[in-house]
Amino acid sequence: MRPALGRPLSPVAWLAVPVLFTLSVLGLTALGGLLLGASWPVTLSSGLLGAAAAVTVALGPSVTWWSTAQRAALALPYPVAVFGAGLALHGVAVPSGLAMSLGIPATVALVAAATTESPRASGPRGLGGG
């Protein structure tokens, strides 16, 4: 089956997507606050984790599942769990230093994964083509 978006993803990479996405947004928000001299805290929100869940669902068809059972166990429950975590953690403040120290490397990892060539597939990785 041809992946829906870009090259095939491993289940492990797919599981990392919402975590890296969330950390990236928090880190960039904290960096923006630092550059602007803002005093507001960086907070988790249901909207942020809802977006992370949506990205996870959108990438689901690109995953090369190890088995049908694995797909049944993860393809829908995992994004729902991410969304549920967003509802449960809505409004939790994250220290800006922590958000930046985790978020900036997460951003670099996401950009690298989306733009580097895959040795297993022709064309760019991630969302870049296929």
Side-chain angles (χ1 to χ4, degrees), residues 49 53 74 76-88:
L49 283 154
L74 292 175
L76 183 60
Y78 184 60
V80 169
V82 171
F83 183 73
L87 295 175

Side-chain angles (χ1 to χ4, degrees), residues 32-58:
L34 177 71
L35 293 174
L36 293 173
S39 60
W40 39 261
V42 178
T43 58
L44 287 168
S45 71
S46 57
L48 171 57
L49 283 154
V55 169
T56 306
V57 167

Side-chain angles (χ1 to χ4, degrees), residues 19-121:
V19 175
L20 291 174
F21 179 86
T22 302
L23 290 174
S24 181
V25 170
L26 287 175
L28 293 173
T29 302
L31 180 61
L34 177 71
L35 293 174
L36 293 173
S39 60
W40 39 261
V42 178
T43 58
L44 287 168
S45 71
S46 57
L48 171 57
L49 283 154
V55 169
T56 306
V57 167
L59 292 175
S62 298
V63 177
T64 305
W65 299 103
W66 296 323
S67 68
T68 305
Q70 182 191 41
R71 181 181 178 152
L74 292 175
L76 183 60
Y78 184 60
V80 169
V82 171
F83 183 73
L87 295 175
L89 297 173
H90 180 76
V92 172
V94 178
S96 293
L98 178 63
M100 282 189 293
S101 66
L102 295 174
I104 303 305
T107 303
V108 170
L110 283 173
V111 169
T115 59
T116 57
E117 292 290 324
S118 170
R120 293 179 283 149

